Amino acid sequence: MLTVEKLNVSYGRAQVLFDVDVELQAGSLMCVMGRNGVGKTTLLNAVMGVVPTGSGRVLFEGRDVTKTPTHARVKAGMGYVPQGHETFGQLTVAENLWVTLEAVGGPRTAVDEALDLFPALRKFLKRRAGFLSGGQAQQLAIAQALVTGPKLLILDEPTEGIQPSIILEIEGAIAELHRSGLAILVVEQYLEFALRLADAFVVLDAGEVVHSGSREELGDDRVRRLLAV
């Protein structure tokens, strides 16, 4: 589904990623883990074409998309929810969803399907997104990505800074999407989250993949040391 090969990314003279390899199978959920500042967000941005790559390749469904612009990757089936639950703050919840849908030309049923996953948003359809709580805005951001009809959903710390009750709702929605067969790549700091949901994981440290494996390997001491602050 997604293959990242020997990916190198720099910001000016500062190199952030070093020969990163990632292999995500269709229908699986992979957690990208590691301490703050090790390159996790940069990896997702490079996969989506938000930042240019110095060298290496990004393959999506066997097709080289390394030089493909972000909007074309979205149309090809890559949905992205960056950090900070980005939405159109001056638009209502409903307008956010419909504007996104019209941009990709998807079926109208996609909006209802996204709202079915986050039913709490239905009572806020007429509220401007800028007046939502952080958790509600994150649900809306994920719903926007879903109305694009992704084959791969990419999430950057979807539970960061969100109240515990909505964390559980978001985690439940991610689990439901996973059960439906959607491939998911998620940056997540918390080991417990990965233990509950992930099929596979990679750990980054100083811009390099230093450990990877299946969920069964997440509990070993090496992983815990690499994630310790």
Side-chain angles (χ1 to χ4, degrees), residues 88-112:
F88 302 111
Q90 295 302 310
L91 300 182
T92 66
V93 168
E95 288 168 342
N96 268 271
L97 294 172
W98 287 111
V99 164
T100 303
L101 184 70
E102 289 173 9
V104 297
R108 296 178 67 84
T109 55
V111 169
D112 280 331

Side-chain angles (χ1 to χ4, degrees), residues 52-101:
T53 59
S55 61
R57 297 198 303 167
V58 178
L59 306 175
F60 182 58
E61 295 190 310
R63 177 172 155 243
D64 190 339
V65 297
T66 312
K67 303 300 182 184
T68 303
T70 300
H71 67 86
R73 299 188 202 202
V74 172
K75 288 197 173 182
M78 300 169 73
Y80 186 30
V81 183
Q83 277 182 307
H85 30 263
E86 295 181 5
T87 59
F88 302 111
Q90 295 302 310
L91 300 182
T92 66
V93 168
E95 288 168 342
N96 268 271
L97 294 172
W98 287 111
V99 164
T100 303
L101 184 70

Side-chain angles (χ1 to χ4, degrees), residues 2 12 35 57 97 126 128 131 160 175 188 191 195 197:
L2 177 71
R35 302 181 182 95
R57 297 198 303 167
L97 294 172
K126 295 183 179 179
R128 288 186 180 182
F131 291 100
E160 182 184 28
E188 182 53 62
L191 183 59
L195 284 167
L197 294 183

Side-chain angles (χ1 to χ4, degrees), residues 143-154:
Q144 282 181 269
L146 291 174
V147 301
T148 68
K151 302 172 187 176
L152 167 63
L153 181 63
I154 300 175

Side-chain angles (χ1 to χ4, degrees), residues 68-199:
T68 303
T70 300
H71 67 86
R73 299 188 202 202
V74 172
K75 288 197 173 182
M78 300 169 73
Y80 186 30
V81 183
Q83 277 182 307
H85 30 263
E86 295 181 5
T87 59
F88 302 111
Q90 295 302 310
L91 300 182
T92 66
V93 168
E95 288 168 342
N96 268 271
L97 294 172
W98 287 111
V99 164
T100 303
L101 184 70
E102 289 173 9
V104 297
R108 296 178 67 84
T109 55
V111 169
D112 280 331
E113 290 170 0
L115 290 172
D116 286 344
L117 198 64
F118 297 111
L121 288 178
R122 291 189 183 276
K123 59 186 174 185
F124 300 120
L125 288 176
K126 295 183 179 179
R127 181 176 295 182
R128 288 186 180 182
F131 291 100
L132 296 175
S133 71
Q136 293 160 353
Q138 182 68 300
Q139 289 177 315
L140 175 57
I142 297 173
Q144 282 181 269
L146 291 174
V147 301
T148 68
K151 302 172 187 176
L152 167 63
L153 181 63
I154 300 175
L155 305 166
D156 193 355
E157 297 204 44
T159 63
E160 182 184 28
I162 293 174
Q163 55 268 48
S165 61
I166 295 188
I167 286 177
L168 292 175
E169 291 177 20
I170 290 173
E171 186 176 317
I174 293 171
E176 185 173 336
L177 291 167
H178 183 210
R179 287 192 296 270
S180 75
L182 182 64
I184 301 173
L185 181 65
V186 54
V187 163
E188 182 53 62
Q189 295 261 37
Y190 297 108
L191 183 59
E192 292 75 16
F193 177 99
L195 284 167
R196 288 192 294 269
L197 294 183
D199 299 311

